[in-house]
Amino acid sequence: MGAFISVPDQASPPPPPKVVLVPPLFQRDVRGLSRFCQSSYDYLGNRKQLTRLLRDHLSPELGGMLLLSPPDDPRISVRAKMRRAGGSMVLRWQPSSAASLCTFIEMAASLDSPGDVSLRGSYLHQGSGLGAFVVAPLGRDLSGEAAQVGVRYSSTTATAGAIFVPRRGDLSKLWLAGRFHGLTLGLQLSPALPVRHALTALIHPTLLASAPSSASTVSAGSSNGGGDGGVNSNEPVPTTNTASSTSSGNSCCGGGSNLAELRSWFRSHACMLLAFSPPPRPGAVGAPFTASVELKAGGELTFSFFQHVAATRQVVNPFEEDEVVGITNYLDIGLQLTTAIGATDAGGGVGDIPKLIRPNRSAAATVGGISDNGRIRTAAASAAIAGGFKACPEPASSSLHEDVDSSTTTARPATIDLALSWQINKNWLLKARVGNQSAAAAVGARVWHAVSAYLTASVRVDYAHIAQPRYGIELCVENFGPLLYERGADDVVAGRALLQRHEASKQDLDNFAGRGVLIRRNAQSVGSGSGGGRGGNDHEEGERRKMAELM
């Protein structure tokens, strides 16, 4: 008889599953930084994302940026931008909870103007949506900035607020916006007039018909104004009528004329926005696209379109593992067209503002006057504003060129820009912008470490000087801000891992085999899990998304 010995089957382990790479977005998530001490109108309709797409990494200059937070205390962060012509720095403290993105204290400094240093603070009650913020200049005697106080209401569907200049009693900005089924409508007024004038106009609108046409009043200068630049609207001094004041006084006799003057004033001080964004899918970085139209003060009309796409493509990198069959790419596409739809001359209706709601400050008395944001204006700029050329206080966005000497106004030519950004993987970014005035292109490379960094190089060609291209380089070093991920399929995740993987679905395998075009219509997408084991990160990211959805 023989002995029978059984040998266990030494089967080889199963092959690893096929995977699709999901790299993080090229730039870290810094949603909500400083936006709660500004007007919500400026952030409606994905216009900030479109502005970053058109400008970031495409500047023809040498610059650097720091986004740092000490690992021992993440409540402290510093953001600094450096360039040849100037720069800025923000030192920020905020509670460590992600739900407190709207509550912070920070000190901001800018090298663009002397003494431009301010202390900013914001608080928003999460339950009611009511909040307040303050911007207090620390070097107002040098910069001419005046302290501002703001009150606001913010929710996921509506926002409203106002910004005041307490020292002068002026209402600087007033905004109101709402969102319903993806449709966003916003309105912002930048009157820069005493609050009592605005309240009088609201409480007694019939007084517009009997607005006094007597001599205008100007403010007495004060050498110790402390940022008011010698202007105090509470001390009227009679002066001689200006041409526009005479025109306004003669036209106040009829109700129709007063309504026309009120409409002219509204057009020169109001900005309106209408935008549409379909609701984002659960967990997505943002809405798939946004189309908007904005009418700015002064008759400037802007059409814009912004789209974010997360698409999975086949991997052609020979250094990747065999089980990798795809990788997610991020594409941003933006289009913006700006044109002027009207122009007004020096004696036109914009200057004929009803005196009941117009601060009575003549051009001669506004030397060293204060602008809407509290900055001292020059005599020429103040004279232009008194003549009726003031639009929404947005630098480099007005559609009117002002010629104070000749008292004429001409419309700016229309501009159009198309931009495209393509993130190939976690390390490389390609970007280009083409417009009717210039074209630019950039390439960026990134390394991921405990303190990560990226370097971008750009070239810009102005059509007026096509033989003289301009070059730029930007270096950024950072270690704070969570990483964002977005998958091309229905499942989207966010976290802090450098590279996430999910098991390849049947659709991914078909795409890898080259059969994507044949079966795309009938194939069922099998969503893979969003990945577990992140616990606290899931909760933190959920809180950040809730705060980012506030208007």
Side-chain angles (χ1 to χ4, degrees):
M1 296 179 63
F4 177 77
I5 301 176
S6 61
V7 179
D9 186 14
Q10 300 292 335
S12 60
K18 301 297 183 180
V19 297
V20 174
L21 303 180
V22 183
L25 267 67
F26 195 80
Q27 292 177 292
R28 291 178 181 263
D29 179 21
V30 291
R31 291 173 295 181
L33 295 182
S34 301
R35 74 182 179 99
F36 281 95
C37 60
Q38 302 175 22
S39 170
S40 298
Y41 178 86
D42 300 330
Y43 293 84
L44 299 177
N46 269 346
R47 288 179 298 156
K48 289 294 183 180
Q49 290 84 339
L50 179 59
T51 300
R52 287 194 288 266
L53 177 62
L54 294 173
R55 298 181 182 178
D56 282 3
H57 314 311
L58 298 174
S59 178
E61 60 183 1
L62 182 64
M65 185 163 56
L66 293 176
L67 301 173
L68 299 178
S69 178
D72 298 334
D73 193 350
R75 296 175 299 176
I76 305 296
S77 63
V78 58
R79 310 193 307 273
K81 295 182 180 180
M82 296 159 286
R83 60 182 186 275
R84 183 179 179 181
S88 63
M89 186 276 297
V90 177
L91 181 63
R92 178 187 180 96
W93 179 91
Q94 76 170 64
S96 56
S97 172
S100 302
L101 289 176
C102 52
T103 300
F104 58 85
I105 298 176
E106 63 185 17
M107 181 177 294
S110 176
L111 300 179
D112 297 335
S113 61
D116 194 357
V117 182
S118 61
L119 182 65
R120 302 187 295 206
S122 173
Y123 172 77
L124 183 71
H125 187 262
Q126 188 176 5
S128 62
L130 298 175
F133 59 92
V134 61
V135 179
L138 301 181
R140 61 186 186 186
D141 293 333
L142 294 175
S143 64
E145 297 285 347
Q148 297 182 353
V149 175
V151 293
R152 69 185 304 130
Y153 167 77
S154 294
S155 68
T156 57
T157 58
T159 180
I163 301 178
F164 305 92
V165 182
R167 187 174 183 84
R168 302 194 307 272
D170 283 3
L171 176 63
S172 177
K173 286 186 179 180
L174 185 69
W175 74 88
L176 176 66
R179 183 164 50 198
F180 181 74
H181 289 298
L183 192 65
T184 301
L185 181 62
L187 171 66
Q188 177 173 270
L189 291 175
S190 302
L193 53 82
V195 177
R196 67 177 188 275
H197 290 185
L199 293 178
T200 303
L202 292 176
I203 298 174
H204 303 288
T206 56
L207 294 181
L208 289 174
S210 59
S213 59
S214 58
S216 300
T217 58
V218 302
S219 303
S222 176
S223 59
N224 57 355
D228 288 352
V231 175
N232 186 353
S233 61
N234 296 325
E235 301 179 9
V237 176
T239 61
T240 305
N241 281 335
T242 60
S244 60
S245 300
T246 304
S247 175
S248 176
N250 294 337
S251 62
C252 285
C253 298
S257 299
N258 283 279
L259 291 178
E261 293 172 2
L262 186 60
R263 286 195 298 267
S264 297
W265 181 88
F266 187 82
R267 285 196 300 266
S268 63
H269 292 79
C271 300
M272 293 177 288
L273 173 78
L274 178 64
F276 175 75
S277 300
R281 50 196 175 98
V285 172
F289 73 88
T290 300
S292 65
V293 56
E294 181 185 13
L295 179 60
K296 297 181 180 179
E300 184 178 85
L301 192 64
T302 300
F303 299 92
S304 60
F305 177 82
F306 176 81
Q307 183 174 12
H308 173 77
V309 179
T312 302
R313 66 170 176 85
Q314 181 179 347
V315 172
V316 293
N317 189 349
F319 298 102
E320 289 289 354
E321 299 89 345
D322 294 337
E323 64 268 19
V324 176
V325 298
I327 185 172
T328 300
N329 283 181
Y330 305 113
L331 294 95
D332 292 332
I333 304 171
L335 176 65
Q336 180 172 280
L337 184 147
T338 301
T339 182
I341 59 174
T344 52
D345 54 18
V350 174
D352 297 334
I353 304 169
K355 291 186 177 184
L356 185 62
I357 60 175
R358 177 182 58 191
N360 296 319
R361 300 170 185 171
S362 66
T366 52
V367 178
I370 305 297
S371 65
D372 294 341
N373 60 1
R375 189 180 301 279
I376 294 179
R377 289 195 185 103
T378 61
S382 300
I385 294 168
F389 301 140
K390 183 70 178 87
C392 255
E394 298 183 8
S397 66
S398 176
S399 64
L400 302 179
H401 291 310
E402 299 156 5
D403 187 351
V404 180
D405 296 333
S406 61
S407 299
T408 58
T409 304
T410 58
R412 173 185 293 180
T415 62
I416 184 171
D417 289 286
L418 173 65
L420 173 65
S421 175
W422 177 25
Q423 182 178 338
I424 302 175
N425 51 35
K426 72 179 189 299
N427 301 115
W428 292 96
L429 175 73
L430 300 178
K431 194 171 183 179
R433 176 183 56 80
V434 178
N436 63 338
Q437 296 180 347
S438 64
V443 57
R446 175 147 208 167
V447 292
W448 295 94
H449 297 288
V451 178
S452 58
Y454 66 78
L455 179 69
T456 60
S458 63
V459 57
R460 173 178 170 177
V461 177
D462 295 327
Y463 300 149
H465 308 280
I466 196 169
Q468 300 176 355
R470 303 169 61 189
Y471 302 93
I473 297 177
E474 181 185 49
L475 174 65
C476 178
V477 180
E478 62 180 24
N479 74 337
F480 90 99
L483 308 182
L484 285 182
Y485 302 82
E486 184 171 354
R487 297 179 178 174
D490 294 335
D491 43 355
V492 181
V493 295
R496 294 181 178 274
L498 180 60
L499 188 66
Q500 296 188 354
R501 297 167 176 241
H502 65 81
E503 186 175 353
S505 64
K506 182 178 183 299
Q507 180 70 74
D508 296 325
L509 297 178
D510 290 334
N511 291 338
F512 179 67
R515 300 191 299 269
V517 176
L518 299 177
I519 57 91
R520 182 169 296 164
R521 293 182 177 179
N522 300 326
Q524 297 294 327
S525 177
V526 181
S528 59
S530 60
R534 291 182 292 116
N537 285 341
D538 280 336
H539 176 72
E540 180 180 354
E541 178 60 24
E543 293 294 333
R544 292 182 64 87
R545 291 182 183 276
K546 290 180 181 179
M547 301 309 300
E549 292 174 358
L550 293 179
M551 297 186 67

